Amino acid sequence: MDSGPMAMFYNATVFEEHGVEVPETWDEFAQAARDFQESDPDVYITNDLGDAGWNTSLIWQGGGTPGRLTEPI
């Protein structure tokens, strides 16, 4: 097993320009994403880094198990 700390960086200028509060929880993160889209549909809160480890970590945090279906397709 390999583990390590993860962090998210943000561009404070973009948040300030669009009047969006920097989120501290996942619920606030989702709301900030909606606020960005409402302010400017061409602005996104994040992008795909192409790192499967990032997505896997979010799946584990949410209680899931990467690579295993919980229900049949």
Side-chain angles (χ1 to χ4, degrees):
M1 172 178 260
D2 181 21
S3 65
M6 296 182 69
M8 293 180 75
F9 295 90
Y10 68 94
N11 185 329
T13 303
V14 174
F15 278 81
E16 291 169 10
E17 286 176 357
H18 295 278
V20 176
E21 293 290 322
V22 176
E24 295 183 9
T25 67
W26 288 120
D27 287 338
E28 291 175 3
F29 185 87
Q31 183 58 53
R34 289 188 289 269
D35 293 344
F36 274 122
Q37 285 293 285
E38 185 177 307
S39 174
D40 183 346
D42 293 328
V43 175
Y44 297 89
I45 195 166
T46 190
N47 64 341
D48 182 0
L49 302 174
D51 178 7
W54 174 254
N55 292 330
T56 301
S57 297
L58 294 176
I59 292 168
W60 281 110
Q61 180 182 1
T65 303
R68 186 174 70 189
L69 297 175
T70 56
E71 296 181 20
I73 295 177

